[in-house]
Amino acid sequence: MPVPAFKTGELEATTPEEAAYAVLDELTQSAVCNLSSLDTELDHLRKENYFKAECVGGKFFLKLANEPIAKRFLPVMQRVKDWPLLSDSILLPIAEFSFWRVLYHPDFPIKVFYGVYPWIEGPTLGSLLYNMRPSRVEDVERLKDIYRQLGTLLGTLHSAGLLEPGLPVQQLYSRLAHNDLHRHNLIVTPEKGLVILDIDSFSPPEQPRSVANTFVANAVRLLFLHAHDAGFFKGSPFGAVWVAVQPYAALELFTSYCQTLMGEDKAMPCVFALIEHMTGKRELCDDWRSSPWAEQTELMLPVDKEEALRRLKNAFALRR
């Protein structure tokens, strides 16, 4: 089933389902396809915005958006092409089609866009966490390995867009920053590699982002339970164990990130600087502190900054 590297077009359709089938007809030359809304598989996704298509010869992921993904896709592709880890770890679209969607009145349609991606097998990091049983040693080690990979991926990502390498981490800016990395837009493939799904959350290259701010914001989303996650571990034995495992996952994330971004010899100062930056950014912590899990944790964001640094230094020293 021939599929072009990147194809664009406009569709004659008025609903997401009609548009999805029209997209598949364009891409697969009218091959037989089974379309399903991903809200039936992933309950955090909104109905009618995400689809899985199983066609004769291949599978696709379709995502509805309010603006063209190509605006973010083309600059990102240009920057990651020379970085094999990034080329393998960022899910790039293969097509984009627009159509006029009717919402409330046929006289006032809005233009929306379908991004089409190859389907990647594997659970999201969120789904994986929910189903893991870290009371087993092998699961704890796998979790630490995932966060170590994640730190390397983020370090490589920011390195690929650095404006002025060699500066302290607090002063670094990158043209390749993802603004909304969280558990649900990371796929853990069967080969244990990570794939970022949400390409339209990359910053425009003409607006470089602070490396420290971006990493800290992503780390909070990836490591801490927020108020809206209150039911995330309900009915699962994972919740209580995560409290014990999380500091080790955080340590792997921070150290592998700094080793990749700054080099082995500058990793420790980088880690301490980022933790200090995190604990000083109180606005990043508000949702986490309102979580019902917060009172049970003695993790990376205690109220006292010096205590946070002391814990991390002790953990880092043991790791070394």
Side-chain angles (χ1 to χ4, degrees):
M1 180 176 62
V3 176
F6 188 68
K7 186 175 182 179
T8 60
E10 187 157 334
L11 306 167
E12 293 291 334
T14 57
T15 68
E17 289 83 359
E18 287 179 6
Y21 279 115
V23 166
L24 295 172
D25 282 345
E26 289 278 349
L27 293 179
T28 65
Q29 299 178 1
S30 301
V32 176
C33 296
N34 179 39
L35 188 70
S36 58
S37 174
L38 284 182
D39 71 309
T40 61
E41 298 182 23
L42 304 172
D43 57 12
H44 67 277
L45 294 178
R46 291 189 299 167
K47 188 176 181 180
E48 294 190 340
N49 279 19
Y50 302 87
F51 290 91
K52 176 183 179 180
E54 298 183 77
C55 304
V56 175
K59 298 180 183 179
F60 302 97
F61 169 58
L62 288 78
K63 177 181 177 180
L64 209 60
N66 293 325
E67 63 179 22
I69 54 171
K71 288 183 178 179
R72 304 288 171 88
F73 158 59
L74 296 175
V76 169
M77 183 182 70
Q78 185 66 27
R79 292 202 168 274
V80 306
K81 66 180 182 180
D82 296 326
W83 301 75
L85 175 62
L86 300 181
S87 297
D88 292 339
S89 300
I90 299 175
L91 187 61
L92 298 177
I94 59 177
E96 177 180 80
F97 287 85
S98 62
F99 68 100
W100 291 94
R101 181 181 184 184
V102 175
L103 286 177
Y104 306 111
H105 194 283
D107 293 337
F108 301 99
I110 60 171
K111 193 171 188 178
V112 289
F113 300 83
Y114 253 129
V116 186
Y117 305 77
W119 180 263
I120 301 295
E121 296 293 344
T124 64
L125 178 57
S127 298
L128 186 67
L129 289 177
Y130 185 84
N131 291 295
M132 287 182 77
R133 298 296 181 266
S135 54
R136 299 200 305 253
V137 173
E138 59 268 27
D139 281 354
V140 174
E141 291 304 313
R142 185 184 181 197
L143 188 61
K144 287 164 61 177
D145 182 60
I146 287 172
Y147 277 90
R148 187 182 307 120
Q149 290 182 51
L150 185 51
T152 300
L153 175 57
L154 288 175
T156 305
L157 188 69
H158 293 165
S159 294
L162 277 184
L163 292 183
E164 298 182 71
L167 296 176
V169 67
Q170 305 96 313
Q171 300 174 29
L172 290 176
Y173 280 77
S174 178
R175 295 189 185 93
L176 201 57
H178 194 287
N179 299 316
D180 190 32
L181 206 57
H182 52 76
R183 293 185 296 269
H184 297 310
N185 61 19
L186 281 165
I187 290 284
V188 183
T189 68
E191 296 77 22
K192 299 184 181 180
L194 298 175
V195 178
I196 300 173
L197 300 182
D198 195 8
I199 191 173
D200 52 343
S201 289
F202 279 90
S203 295
E206 66 273 13
Q207 299 174 9
R209 294 293 302 270
S210 161
V211 162
N213 285 347
T214 303
F215 175 78
V216 164
N218 286 334
V220 169
R221 296 187 192 99
L222 290 162
L223 289 166
F224 295 95
L225 298 178
H226 294 250
H228 62 267
D229 286 330
F232 185 70
F233 296 117
K234 189 177 293 184
S236 167
F238 183 78
V241 182
W242 176 237
V243 172
V245 173
Q246 186 195 39
Y248 300 101
L251 186 62
E252 295 295 345
L253 175 64
F254 275 74
T255 53
S256 61
Y257 173 78
C258 284
Q259 287 167 351
T260 304
L261 182 71
M262 305 296 290
E264 188 77 28
D265 58 331
K266 297 180 180 178
M268 187 180 295
C270 168
V271 170
F272 297 157
L274 288 175
I275 293 300
E276 189 165 12
H277 189 69
M278 175 183 275
T279 55
K281 291 283 184 181
R282 300 302 293 268
E283 69 274 11
L284 294 172
C285 314
D286 290 343
D287 283 347
W288 174 78
R289 292 187 188 283
S290 66
S291 165
W293 296 97
E295 294 181 359
Q296 303 177 35
T297 60
E298 296 183 30
L299 305 173
M300 300 288 289
L301 290 176
V303 174
D304 185 274
K305 182 186 298 186
E306 294 303 317
E307 178 63 11
L309 290 170
R310 183 189 68 80
R311 290 177 190 168
L312 189 74
K313 288 177 180 178
N314 288 343
F316 195 93
L318 288 173
R319 185 178 186 274
R320 301 289 288 182

